[in-house]
Amino acid sequence: MPLAGFQGRTIEDPIVGFRSAPSWVGVHDDGIVYVEYHHNSRGDRDDEAPVAGATRRVLLPGDSFTYGQALPIEATIQARIEARSAGSVDAYSLGVSGFAAIHSLRRFEQSEWWRSDDVVYLFFNNDVHTASRQWDYMRVQDGYSVARRCPDGTPYTDEESARQLRAALAADPAGLRAKFDAWLGLARMRRMVVAMLDREIRLTGMPTSAIDPAVTDEAVRDALAMRAHAESIGARFHLVVLPAPMEGGVREWSLATGTFVTKARAAGLEPVENLLQQVEPADYVAHDGHFSASGADKAAQLVLELVNRQ
């Protein structure tokens, strides 16, 4: 169900596929969390000017966790890195909700203005979701991000896409259903019921059928390409793996995450898995599944440890 406050948040891009809209202002209001979002002129949820007096700079490619979904700007990972370092580290987020590994790579390559010390790719399990295998899997319809293709892979026509969006918005014009569901935790309850039948849904929210080894291989190649690009501009590359709430709950990677970690290590990357043993239930927004302020702070602390390592 689209949130009305997200209209205009995303634009289509011929290189990346889609990305956050420049100079956009909107709200996340699901009935429990109310957060204002502001994008700079580059289309990133961050300050455009560098932190005055910073001696190191770090770039953060990633998805909605990196974007700071459901978090005020001061609680996002990049803001906590800067606060924890007392301004000595300037962190810049390239995170976009819905990004997979290929999008993070292309957005990084597109950001030619950035030069400095470290690049930290924040991987999350849906970066290898089958639905995001094609870089242009999303499109923008009337200011909202929508799927470009049907489940069978054929593209939606403009009329079909517009009709589906109108139906979704008409069913809940004020967002009341989304708010009511969030308040009661209905989405979480539905996931719990389905999860009884599929361990992967229990751990990640994705069914086992959504895991395609070829997509995982592509994600590893994309991470390797990120490392190569970072090294070409004189920066170190780090790969941090973010746990889903239930992965942290059982201290065990799901099949999707575990397969990526194993293949990434075999390819010569060094996935940093520390957060799996550190996160707690309170580190996530209970009805949403993204990091809460404490979860983002733990990720920021880990990133600081990596970039301060000689």
Side-chain angles (χ1 to χ4, degrees):
M1 187 67 66
L3 294 178
F6 284 2
Q7 187 173 28
R9 184 169 72 156
T10 306
I11 60 171
E12 293 185 22
D13 184 282
I15 303 299
V16 183
F18 65 99
R19 60 183 177 88
S20 295
S23 305
W24 176 81
V25 178
V27 296
H28 179 122
D29 182 7
D30 60 18
I32 295 179
V33 172
Y34 182 92
V35 172
E36 293 185 357
Y37 295 143
H38 296 261
H39 298 169
N40 64 28
S41 66
R42 298 188 187 108
D44 301 313
R45 193 186 179 204
D46 207 333
D47 294 329
E48 199 154 328
V51 175
T55 58
R56 294 190 66 82
R57 300 181 74 192
V58 56
L59 189 71
L60 305 172
D63 61 8
S64 53
F65 278 76
T66 313
Y67 178 84
Q69 187 89 350
L71 288 176
I73 188 63
E74 64 272 12
T76 58
I77 295 173
Q78 75 269 18
R80 293 306 304 154
I81 290 172
E82 293 170 355
R84 277 184 164 274
S85 70
S88 66
V89 176
D90 179 3
Y92 190 89
S93 171
L94 290 179
V96 176
S97 295
F99 265 17
I102 182 61
H103 307 100
S104 293
L105 167 63
R106 292 189 176 191
R107 183 63 176 146
F108 174 29
E109 293 175 334
Q110 190 181 55
S111 303
E112 296 179 349
W113 61 271
W114 187 88
R115 289 291 185 279
S116 203
D117 307 290
D118 293 87
V119 176
V120 182
Y121 169 40
L122 300 172
F123 171 89
F124 188 68
N125 67 73
N126 59 11
D127 290 4
V128 292
H129 194 293
T130 300
S132 60
R133 181 174 188 175
Q134 294 171 292
W135 64 274
D136 63 343
Y137 81 102
M138 297 289 284
R139 61 170 293 187
V140 176
Q141 176 74 47
D142 298 334
Y144 293 95
S145 299
V146 298
R148 184 179 296 276
R149 299 176 182 84
C150 307
D152 64 4
T154 59
Y156 287 113
T157 66
D158 289 344
E159 293 75 15
E160 290 171 335
S161 182
R163 184 169 60 251
Q164 290 194 13
L165 178 61
R166 285 196 302 269
L169 293 172
D172 192 22
L176 295 178
R177 177 181 172 185
K179 295 175 184 179
F180 189 66
D181 278 9
W183 181 62
L184 290 180
L186 294 181
R188 188 180 183 188
M189 292 169 62
R190 293 188 194 105
R191 289 195 299 268
M192 290 175 63
V193 172
V194 177
M196 294 171 64
L197 304 176
D198 191 326
R199 175 181 178 275
E200 284 300 294
I201 293 181
R202 183 168 69 253
L203 293 181
T204 69
M206 295 192 303
T208 303
S209 59
I211 302 169
D212 183 341
V215 179
T216 306
D217 291 338
E218 291 168 6
V220 171
R221 288 195 292 269
D222 293 332
L224 287 167
M226 280 187 240
R227 183 178 69 179
H229 185 58
E231 292 174 347
S232 75
I233 59 175
R236 298 185 303 175
F237 178 76
H238 314 271
L239 170 59
V240 172
V241 185
L242 305 180
M246 285 305 297
E247 289 178 318
V250 299
R251 308 297 186 202
E252 180 183 342
W253 291 128
S254 62
L255 178 61
T257 310
T259 301
F260 174 81
V261 167
T262 299
K263 290 186 175 183
R265 184 170 289 112
L269 293 165
E270 298 179 6
V272 179
E273 306 175 62
N274 304 41
L275 287 173
L276 183 64
Q277 305 302 324
Q278 297 174 0
V279 293
E280 302 292 342
D283 294 327
Y284 298 87
V285 180
H287 72 285
D288 177 270
H290 287 91
F291 275 153
S292 64
S294 62
D297 189 57
K298 287 181 178 179
Q301 181 178 6
L302 177 59
V303 170
L304 269 179
E305 291 171 359
L306 293 174
V307 301
N308 286 331
R309 189 179 300 165
Q310 298 301 316

PDB file of all heavy atoms in Angstrom, residues 163-192:
ATOM      1  N   ARG A 163      -3.801   1.973 -13.561  1.00  0.00           N
ATOM      2  CA  ARG A 163      -5.017   1.418 -12.968  1.00  0.00           C
ATOM      3  C   ARG A 163      -4.724   0.770 -11.620  1.00  0.00           C
ATOM      4  O   ARG A 163      -5.467   0.965 -10.651  1.00  0.00           O
ATOM      5  CB  ARG A 163      -5.628   0.399 -13.925  1.00  0.00           C
ATOM      6  CG  ARG A 163      -6.964  -0.168 -13.424  1.00  0.00           C
ATOM      7  CD  ARG A 163      -7.676  -0.965 -14.496  1.00  0.00           C
ATOM      8  NE  ARG A 163      -6.898  -2.095 -14.978  1.00  0.00           N
ATOM      9  CZ  ARG A 163      -6.345  -2.150 -16.182  1.00  0.00           C
ATOM     10  NH1 ARG A 163      -6.462  -1.143 -17.031  1.00  0.00           N
ATOM     11  NH2 ARG A 163      -5.662  -3.232 -16.565  1.00  0.00           N
ATOM     12  N   GLN A 164      -3.632   0.031 -11.532  1.00  0.00           N
ATOM     13  CA  GLN A 164      -3.273  -0.609 -10.269  1.00  0.00           C
ATOM     14  C   GLN A 164      -2.957   0.426  -9.191  1.00  0.00           C
ATOM     15  O   GLN A 164      -3.341   0.280  -8.036  1.00  0.00           O
ATOM     16  CB  GLN A 164      -2.091  -1.546 -10.469  1.00  0.00           C
ATOM     17  CG  GLN A 164      -2.427  -2.791 -11.262  1.00  0.00           C
ATOM     18  CD  GLN A 164      -1.346  -3.852 -11.145  1.00  0.00           C
ATOM     19  OE1 GLN A 164      -0.472  -3.768 -10.293  1.00  0.00           O
ATOM     20  NE2 GLN A 164      -1.408  -4.860 -11.999  1.00  0.00           N
ATOM     21  N   LEU A 165      -2.246   1.476  -9.578  1.00  0.00           N
ATOM     22  CA  LEU A 165      -1.913   2.517  -8.613  1.00  0.00           C
ATOM     23  C   LEU A 165      -3.165   3.238  -8.149  1.00  0.00           C
ATOM     24  O   LEU A 165      -3.345   3.483  -6.943  1.00  0.00           O
ATOM     25  CB  LEU A 165      -0.925   3.506  -9.228  1.00  0.00           C
ATOM     26  CG  LEU A 165      -0.530   4.685  -8.338  1.00  0.00           C
ATOM     27  CD1 LEU A 165       0.150   4.204  -7.067  1.00  0.00           C
ATOM     28  CD2 LEU A 165       0.392   5.642  -9.100  1.00  0.00           C
ATOM     29  N   ARG A 166      -4.051   3.587  -9.079  1.00  0.00           N
ATOM     30  CA  ARG A 166      -5.298   4.266  -8.702  1.00  0.00           C
ATOM     31  C   ARG A 166      -6.114   3.405  -7.749  1.00  0.00           C
ATOM     32  O   ARG A 166      -6.681   3.908  -6.774  1.00  0.00           O
ATOM     33  CB  ARG A 166      -6.123   4.595  -9.950  1.00  0.00           C
ATOM     34  CG  ARG A 166      -5.598   5.766 -10.768  1.00  0.00           C
ATOM     35  CD  ARG A 166      -6.666   6.271 -11.733  1.00  0.00           C
ATOM     36  NE  ARG A 166      -7.131   5.225 -12.632  1.00  0.00           N
ATOM     37  CZ  ARG A 166      -6.592   4.971 -13.823  1.00  0.00           C
ATOM     38  NH1 ARG A 166      -5.556   5.682 -14.239  1.00  0.00           N
ATOM     39  NH2 ARG A 166      -7.091   4.012 -14.592  1.00  0.00           N
ATOM     40  N   ALA A 167      -6.155   2.108  -8.028  1.00  0.00           N
ATOM     41  CA  ALA A 167      -6.925   1.209  -7.172  1.00  0.00           C
ATOM     42  C   ALA A 167      -6.340   1.156  -5.766  1.00  0.00           C
ATOM     43  O   ALA A 167      -7.064   1.160  -4.770  1.00  0.00           O
ATOM     44  CB  ALA A 167      -6.961  -0.191  -7.785  1.00  0.00           C
ATOM     45  N   ALA A 168      -5.018   1.110  -5.680  1.00  0.00           N
ATOM     46  CA  ALA A 168      -4.366   1.058  -4.367  1.00  0.00           C
ATOM     47  C   ALA A 168      -4.613   2.331  -3.582  1.00  0.00           C
ATOM     48  O   ALA A 168      -4.901   2.300  -2.379  1.00  0.00           O
ATOM     49  CB  ALA A 168      -2.871   0.826  -4.549  1.00  0.00           C
ATOM     50  N   LEU A 169      -4.510   3.483  -4.265  1.00  0.00           N
ATOM     51  CA  LEU A 169      -4.721   4.752  -3.568  1.00  0.00           C
ATOM     52  C   LEU A 169      -6.186   4.961  -3.220  1.00  0.00           C
ATOM     53  O   LEU A 169      -6.509   5.485  -2.145  1.00  0.00           O
ATOM     54  CB  LEU A 169      -4.218   5.905  -4.441  1.00  0.00           C
ATOM     55  CG  LEU A 169      -2.707   5.963  -4.667  1.00  0.00           C
ATOM     56  CD1 LEU A 169      -2.368   7.027  -5.705  1.00  0.00           C
ATOM     57  CD2 LEU A 169      -1.978   6.232  -3.363  1.00  0.00           C
ATOM     58  N   ALA A 170      -7.084   4.541  -4.109  1.00  0.00           N
ATOM     59  CA  ALA A 170      -8.510   4.711  -3.847  1.00  0.00           C
ATOM     60  C   ALA A 170      -8.977   3.839  -2.693  1.00  0.00           C
ATOM     61  O   ALA A 170      -9.908   4.195  -1.964  1.00  0.00           O
ATOM     62  CB  ALA A 170      -9.324   4.393  -5.102  1.00  0.00           C
ATOM     63  N   ALA A 171      -8.320   2.695  -2.510  1.00  0.00           N
ATOM     64  CA  ALA A 171      -8.708   1.794  -1.424  1.00  0.00           C
ATOM     65  C   ALA A 171      -8.374   2.380  -0.061  1.00  0.00           C
ATOM     66  O   ALA A 171      -8.951   1.987   0.950  1.00  0.00           O
ATOM     67  CB  ALA A 171      -8.013   0.445  -1.597  1.00  0.00           C
ATOM     68  N   ASP A 172      -7.452   3.332  -0.046  1.00  0.00           N
ATOM     69  CA  ASP A 172      -7.010   3.887   1.243  1.00  0.00           C
ATOM     70  C   ASP A 172      -6.504   5.319   1.020  1.00  0.00           C
ATOM     71  O   ASP A 172      -5.326   5.604   1.221  1.00  0.00           O
ATOM     72  CB  ASP A 172      -5.897   3.009   1.819  1.00  0.00           C
ATOM     73  CG  ASP A 172      -5.569   3.320   3.275  1.00  0.00           C
ATOM     74  OD1 ASP A 172      -6.432   3.894   3.956  1.00  0.00           O
ATOM     75  OD2 ASP A 172      -4.455   2.984   3.699  1.00  0.00           O
ATOM     76  N   PRO A 173      -7.381   6.238   0.587  1.00  0.00           N
ATOM     77  CA  PRO A 173      -6.927   7.563   0.163  1.00  0.00           C
ATOM     78  C   PRO A 173      -6.211   8.358   1.235  1.00  0.00           C
ATOM     79  O   PRO A 173      -5.326   9.157   0.935  1.00  0.00           O
ATOM     80  CB  PRO A 173      -8.223   8.254  -0.264  1.00  0.00           C
ATOM     81  CG  PRO A 173      -9.307   7.511   0.434  1.00  0.00           C
ATOM     82  CD  PRO A 173      -8.840   6.091   0.501  1.00  0.00           C
ATOM     83  N   ALA A 174      -6.559   8.180   2.482  1.00  0.00           N
ATOM     84  CA  ALA A 174      -5.913   8.938   3.558  1.00  0.00           C
ATOM     85  C   ALA A 174      -4.835   8.123   4.263  1.00  0.00           C
ATOM     86  O   ALA A 174      -4.284   8.559   5.271  1.00  0.00           O
ATOM     87  CB  ALA A 174      -6.960   9.400   4.568  1.00  0.00           C
ATOM     88  N   GLY A 175      -4.559   6.929   3.750  1.00  0.00           N
ATOM     89  CA  GLY A 175      -3.568   6.078   4.403  1.00  0.00           C
ATOM     90  C   GLY A 175      -4.071   5.467   5.688  1.00  0.00           C
ATOM     91  O   GLY A 175      -3.285   4.963   6.490  1.00  0.00           O
ATOM     92  N   LEU A 176      -5.398   5.467   5.909  1.00  0.00           N
ATOM     93  CA  LEU A 176      -5.941   4.998   7.186  1.00  0.00           C
ATOM     94  C   LEU A 176      -5.752   3.504   7.355  1.00  0.00           C
ATOM     95  O   LEU A 176      -5.486   3.026   8.463  1.00  0.00           O
ATOM     96  CB  LEU A 176      -7.424   5.362   7.286  1.00  0.00           C
ATOM     97  CG  LEU A 176      -7.723   6.858   7.324  1.00  0.00           C
ATOM     98  CD1 LEU A 176      -9.228   7.101   7.381  1.00  0.00           C
ATOM     99  CD2 LEU A 176      -7.042   7.513   8.523  1.00  0.00           C
ATOM    100  N   ARG A 177      -5.891   2.751   6.262  1.00  0.00           N
ATOM    101  CA  ARG A 177      -5.729   1.308   6.382  1.00  0.00           C
ATOM    102  C   ARG A 177      -4.285   0.968   6.758  1.00  0.00           C
ATOM    103  O   ARG A 177      -4.040   0.118   7.621  1.00  0.00           O
ATOM    104  CB  ARG A 177      -6.103   0.628   5.065  1.00  0.00           C
ATOM    105  CG  ARG A 177      -5.893  -0.882   5.094  1.00  0.00           C
ATOM    106  CD  ARG A 177      -6.258  -1.519   3.769  1.00  0.00           C
ATOM    107  NE  ARG A 177      -5.888  -2.914   3.746  1.00  0.00           N
ATOM    108  CZ  ARG A 177      -6.000  -3.697   2.677  1.00  0.00           C
ATOM    109  NH1 ARG A 177      -6.501  -3.204   1.553  1.00  0.00           N
ATOM    110  NH2 ARG A 177      -5.637  -4.951   2.721  1.00  0.00           N
ATOM    111  N   ALA A 178      -3.333   1.642   6.086  1.00  0.00           N
ATOM    112  CA  ALA A 178      -1.927   1.392   6.408  1.00  0.00           C
ATOM    113  C   ALA A 178      -1.641   1.754   7.856  1.00  0.00           C
ATOM    114  O   ALA A 178      -0.930   1.046   8.569  1.00  0.00           O
ATOM    115  CB  ALA A 178      -1.034   2.207   5.475  1.00  0.00           C
ATOM    116  N   LYS A 179      -2.220   2.857   8.311  1.00  0.00           N
ATOM    117  CA  LYS A 179      -1.997   3.281   9.691  1.00  0.00           C
ATOM    118  C   LYS A 179      -2.625   2.290  10.677  1.00  0.00           C
ATOM    119  O   LYS A 179      -2.046   1.955  11.703  1.00  0.00           O
ATOM    120  CB  LYS A 179      -2.584   4.678   9.909  1.00  0.00           C
ATOM    121  CG  LYS A 179      -1.893   5.758   9.107  1.00  0.00           C
ATOM    122  CD  LYS A 179      -2.598   7.094   9.264  1.00  0.00           C
ATOM    123  CE  LYS A 179      -1.946   8.152   8.379  1.00  0.00           C
ATOM    124  NZ  LYS A 179      -2.620   9.454   8.478  1.00  0.00           N
ATOM    125  N   PHE A 180      -3.855   1.822  10.352  1.00  0.00           N
ATOM    126  CA  PHE A 180      -4.548   0.892  11.239  1.00  0.00           C
ATOM    127  C   PHE A 180      -3.790  -0.433  11.312  1.00  0.00           C
ATOM    128  O   PHE A 180      -3.615  -1.015  12.383  1.00  0.00           O
ATOM    129  CB  PHE A 180      -5.974   0.671  10.736  1.00  0.00           C
ATOM    130  CG  PHE A 180      -6.844  -0.097  11.691  1.00  0.00           C
ATOM    131  CD1 PHE A 180      -7.189   0.443  12.921  1.00  0.00           C
ATOM    132  CD2 PHE A 180      -7.325  -1.357  11.361  1.00  0.00           C
ATOM    133  CE1 PHE A 180      -7.988  -0.256  13.803  1.00  0.00           C
ATOM    134  CE2 PHE A 180      -8.118  -2.062  12.239  1.00  0.00           C
ATOM    135  CZ  PHE A 180      -8.460  -1.508  13.457  1.00  0.00           C
ATOM    136  N   ASP A 181      -3.330  -0.898  10.135  1.00  0.00           N
ATOM    137  CA  ASP A 181      -2.555  -2.131  10.102  1.00  0.00           C
ATOM    138  C   ASP A 181      -1.286  -1.999  10.938  1.00  0.00           C
ATOM    139  O   ASP A 181      -0.907  -2.911  11.685  1.00  0.00           O
ATOM    140  CB  ASP A 181      -2.168  -2.486   8.660  1.00  0.00           C
ATOM    141  CG  ASP A 181      -3.302  -3.196   7.922  1.00  0.00           C
ATOM    142  OD1 ASP A 181      -4.426  -3.246   8.472  1.00  0.00           O
ATOM    143  OD2 ASP A 181      -3.057  -3.690   6.812  1.00  0.00           O
ATOM    144  N   ALA A 182      -0.621  -0.859  10.797  1.00  0.00           N
ATOM    145  CA  ALA A 182       0.617  -0.651  11.547  1.00  0.00           C
ATOM    146  C   ALA A 182       0.336  -0.611  13.043  1.00  0.00           C
ATOM    147  O   ALA A 182       1.074  -1.175  13.849  1.00  0.00           O
ATOM    148  CB  ALA A 182       1.282   0.655  11.099  1.00  0.00           C
ATOM    149  N   TRP A 183      -0.744   0.074  13.415  1.00  0.00           N
ATOM    150  CA  TRP A 183      -1.085   0.204  14.830  1.00  0.00           C
ATOM    151  C   TRP A 183      -1.359  -1.150  15.469  1.00  0.00           C
ATOM    152  O   TRP A 183      -0.925  -1.448  16.575  1.00  0.00           O
ATOM    153  CB  TRP A 183      -2.305   1.119  14.977  1.00  0.00           C
ATOM    154  CG  TRP A 183      -2.728   1.340  16.393  1.00  0.00           C
ATOM    155  CD1 TRP A 183      -1.989   1.924  17.386  1.00  0.00           C
ATOM    156  CD2 TRP A 183      -3.970   0.965  16.982  1.00  0.00           C
ATOM    157  NE1 TRP A 183      -2.708   1.947  18.559  1.00  0.00           N
ATOM    158  CE2 TRP A 183      -3.929   1.361  18.342  1.00  0.00           C
ATOM    159  CE3 TRP A 183      -5.125   0.340  16.495  1.00  0.00           C
ATOM    160  CZ2 TRP A 183      -4.985   1.148  19.209  1.00  0.00           C
ATOM    161  CZ3 TRP A 183      -6.183   0.146  17.366  1.00  0.00           C
ATOM    162  CH2 TRP A 183      -6.106   0.543  18.698  1.00  0.00           C
ATOM    163  N   LEU A 184      -2.073  -2.006  14.747  1.00  0.00           N
ATOM    164  CA  LEU A 184      -2.407  -3.327  15.274  1.00  0.00           C
ATOM    165  C   LEU A 184      -1.310  -4.362  15.034  1.00  0.00           C
ATOM    166  O   LEU A 184      -1.358  -5.457  15.598  1.00  0.00           O
ATOM    167  CB  LEU A 184      -3.704  -3.839  14.620  1.00  0.00           C
ATOM    168  CG  LEU A 184      -4.998  -3.116  15.008  1.00  0.00           C
ATOM    169  CD1 LEU A 184      -6.169  -3.743  14.274  1.00  0.00           C
ATOM    170  CD2 LEU A 184      -5.239  -3.185  16.508  1.00  0.00           C
ATOM    171  N   GLY A 185      -0.339  -4.002  14.224  1.00  0.00           N
ATOM    172  CA  GLY A 185       0.701  -4.969  13.888  1.00  0.00           C
ATOM    173  C   GLY A 185       0.195  -6.065  12.977  1.00  0.00           C
ATOM    174  O   GLY A 185       0.708  -7.187  12.997  1.00  0.00           O
ATOM    175  N   LEU A 186      -0.806  -5.746  12.141  1.00  0.00           N
ATOM    176  CA  LEU A 186      -1.410  -6.791  11.305  1.00  0.00           C
ATOM    177  C   LEU A 186      -0.425  -7.342  10.281  1.00  0.00           C
ATOM    178  O   LEU A 186      -0.422  -8.548  10.013  1.00  0.00           O
ATOM    179  CB  LEU A 186      -2.650  -6.225  10.594  1.00  0.00           C
ATOM    180  CG  LEU A 186      -3.816  -5.849  11.515  1.00  0.00           C
ATOM    181  CD1 LEU A 186      -4.973  -5.330  10.675  1.00  0.00           C
ATOM    182  CD2 LEU A 186      -4.269  -7.049  12.339  1.00  0.00           C
ATOM    183  N   ALA A 187       0.380  -6.450   9.684  1.00  0.00           N
ATOM    184  CA  ALA A 187       1.353  -6.940   8.699  1.00  0.00           C
ATOM    185  C   ALA A 187       2.315  -7.922   9.342  1.00  0.00           C
ATOM    186  O   ALA A 187       2.666  -8.956   8.757  1.00  0.00           O
ATOM    187  CB  ALA A 187       2.112  -5.761   8.093  1.00  0.00           C
ATOM    188  N   ARG A 188       2.733  -7.610  10.550  1.00  0.00           N
ATOM    189  CA  ARG A 188       3.657  -8.498  11.260  1.00  0.00           C
ATOM    190  C   ARG A 188       2.982  -9.834  11.573  1.00  0.00           C
ATOM    191  O   ARG A 188       3.596 -10.902  11.451  1.00  0.00           O
ATOM    192  CB  ARG A 188       4.107  -7.824  12.547  1.00  0.00           C
ATOM    193  CG  ARG A 188       5.222  -8.557  13.275  1.00  0.00           C
ATOM    194  CD  ARG A 188       5.592  -7.799  14.526  1.00  0.00           C
ATOM    195  NE  ARG A 188       6.699  -8.421  15.230  1.00  0.00           N
ATOM    196  CZ  ARG A 188       7.122  -8.047  16.419  1.00  0.00           C
ATOM    197  NH1 ARG A 188       6.544  -7.041  17.042  1.00  0.00           N
ATOM    198  NH2 ARG A 188       8.129  -8.666  17.008  1.00  0.00           N
ATOM    199  N   MET A 189       1.706  -9.794  11.937  1.00  0.00           N
ATOM    200  CA  MET A 189       0.983 -11.025  12.240  1.00  0.00           C
ATOM    201  C   MET A 189       0.821 -11.882  10.994  1.00  0.00           C
ATOM    202  O   MET A 189       0.960 -13.107  11.056  1.00  0.00           O
ATOM    203  CB  MET A 189      -0.388 -10.681  12.834  1.00  0.00           C
ATOM    204  CG  MET A 189      -0.307 -10.041  14.226  1.00  0.00           C
ATOM    205  SD  MET A 189      -1.889  -9.353  14.759  1.00  0.00           S
ATOM    206  CE  MET A 189      -2.901 -10.837  14.804  1.00  0.00           C
ATOM    207  N   ARG A 190       0.554 -11.242   9.860  1.00  0.00           N
ATOM    208  CA  ARG A 190       0.429 -11.999   8.618  1.00  0.00           C
ATOM    209  C   ARG A 190       1.745 -12.701   8.279  1.00  0.00           C
ATOM    210  O   ARG A 190       1.761 -13.851   7.857  1.00  0.00           O
ATOM    211  CB  ARG A 190       0.031 -11.066   7.465  1.00  0.00           C
ATOM    212  CG  ARG A 190      -1.367 -10.468   7.592  1.00  0.00           C
ATOM    213  CD  ARG A 190      -1.753  -9.720   6.324  1.00  0.00           C
ATOM    214  NE  ARG A 190      -2.915  -8.889   6.547  1.00  0.00           N
ATOM    215  CZ  ARG A 190      -2.882  -7.576   6.669  1.00  0.00           C
ATOM    216  NH1 ARG A 190      -1.728  -6.937   6.576  1.00  0.00           N
ATOM    217  NH2 ARG A 190      -3.978  -6.885   6.880  1.00  0.00           N
ATOM    218  N   ARG A 191       2.855 -11.966   8.450  1.00  0.00           N
ATOM    219  CA  ARG A 191       4.163 -12.561   8.174  1.00  0.00           C
ATOM    220  C   ARG A 191       4.428 -13.756   9.078  1.00  0.00           C
ATOM    221  O   ARG A 191       5.004 -14.766   8.657  1.00  0.00           O
ATOM    222  CB  ARG A 191       5.271 -11.517   8.347  1.00  0.00           C
ATOM    223  CG  ARG A 191       5.303 -10.453   7.262  1.00  0.00           C
ATOM    224  CD  ARG A 191       6.618  -9.694   7.280  1.00  0.00           C
ATOM    225  NE  ARG A 191       6.852  -9.006   8.526  1.00  0.00           N
ATOM    226  CZ  ARG A 191       6.496  -7.750   8.767  1.00  0.00           C
ATOM    227  NH1 ARG A 191       5.874  -7.063   7.830  1.00  0.00           N
ATOM    228  NH2 ARG A 191       6.768  -7.189   9.926  1.00  0.00           N
ATOM    229  N   MET A 192       4.004 -13.656  10.329  1.00  0.00           N
ATOM    230  CA  MET A 192       4.225 -14.747  11.276  1.00  0.00           C
ATOM    231  C   MET A 192       3.471 -16.000  10.855  1.00  0.00           C
ATOM    232  O   MET A 192       3.972 -17.113  10.955  1.00  0.00           O
ATOM    233  CB  MET A 192       3.814 -14.313  12.684  1.00  0.00           C
ATOM    234  CG  MET A 192       4.741 -13.276  13.304  1.00  0.00           C
ATOM    235  SD  MET A 192       4.150 -12.689  14.910  1.00  0.00           S
ATOM    236  CE  MET A 192       4.201 -14.215  15.854  1.00  0.00           C
TER     237      MET A 192
END
